[in-house]
Amino acid sequence: MNVSAIHAELEQHFASDLEDIRAFLRLKSISYTGEGIRETADAVAGLIASLGGEAEVVATPGHPIVYGELWQDAPKTLLIYGMYDVMPTDEDGWMAEPFGAEIHDLPNLGPSLICRGAVNTKGPLAAFFAAMRGVQRVEGILPVNLLFAIEGEEEMGSRSFPAFAGQYAGQLKRADVVLFPFFEQDEAGMPSLVLGTKGLLYVELICNGGEWGGPTERGIHGSYNAWVKNPAWRLTQALASFVDKEEQIVVDGFFDRVRPLPQRQADLLSEQIGSGLMDAQVFRDAYAVRRLKDEDDRAAWQRLFSQPQLNIDGLFAGYIGPETKTVLPHRATAKVDVRMVPDMEPDEVLATLRAHLDRGGFEDIEIKVYNSYPWSKLSLDEPAVQAMIRTYRKLHGEVQVWPINPGSAPYYVFERLLGLPYVTGGLGHGSRQHSSNEYCTVAGILDFEKSMVTFLDEFTRGPRAPQGET
């Protein structure tokens, strides 16, 4: 490919591409309400058709998955994974209409596109198609075959994706590698590459009034707490028993299956920390966090990549409206997520939580599972990973290699069910996903488009690295 000519074409065509991306972002596609889901799935199918491909909107028990093909008898095939669903926008503090895709000048970032899905992940998805159209305008044809599996339930734990992968396994296994296009530069401009992802267990703990005490049918006047126990107190006591005062997890058996980082990756992480390539201050500044759990940055980075977490996402009980209303609730709930590292498995972790509650006398507290899927791990020597590293070094000069993604994604479907390697990547910066004022920088979108072109070039003609330690 004539990479420099394609980059120049993308620059010349960028104003038009940006408007196309903004139009796609304005489509509401909220997982938990279903608002705009079908319309956005149809729009994704349209994006595949814009490349000359064929697309199918596949019905599932949940939201549809868009499957597509652009087959050109090329030597190599990429499976493009993505998601068109987004989180709700009910947070306070939005500076712009959450689906307006408005451009605002953000401090230290410049012109930025404010919209739910701007970074997670409708923005990079739409920008990927813009980049591919740029390749076609210059080259006439893409250097790879493309398959597409774009889901609408990632924010709900990818509930329909494993069954879809089984149904379409014959088609999907034709791919050499899976690419998840994503903006991977942090606020300081440093790109990162992840070698896998933590697993996810998302549960709700429910404490109802019952034989132990508490109202059983409805909330009652708060003054009766003198007589009647409160489910909110009981639930918070149960939650507090999971950790010590420093939030270190104290659940028996929780860490039994935790596998240390592979030595090669541990050494690389230590080298990057020691050289100053990994700077935790960037995170503190960007997320308005004054102090990490570990005061030593080396320990903080190592914890992030090698240890599981148990996090309270929300607590709900009684009256939470304005001003006052005294009430003793009959139910209290907490939403909790666990991020699991190799070799932890969701069912085993769930069993340790259940046993811990039972030992503590909280047998009545119900655990309701919403999402559950395992971790996945990738080799540093995977050719697509090396191609992405070369891409970053060509266009930026440096790259952070992360042993694992602290968040979660259904990569186990590719690794365990389909036997396919994968890579996540792309230049460009965005942040505040799952929060108000989610954004991506305008300049970063163009950088991302260029990085996708460079990655295609590196992937199709680059040296094939030997498989090694995972």
Side-chain angles (χ1 to χ4, degrees), residues 88-106:
T89 59
D90 53 356
E91 310 89 357
D92 293 330
W94 282 91
M95 64 185 293
E97 200 283 314
F99 286 99
E102 299 176 12
I103 295 176
H104 292 260
D105 199 46
L106 298 183

Side-chain angles (χ1 to χ4, degrees), residues 227-247:
W227 269 356
V228 182
K229 292 182 178 179
N230 190 323
W233 283 123
R234 184 169 179 80
L235 179 63
T236 54
Q237 290 163 2
L239 291 168
S241 74
F242 286 144
V243 298
D244 63 18
K245 291 182 179 180
E246 297 301 320
E247 293 189 20

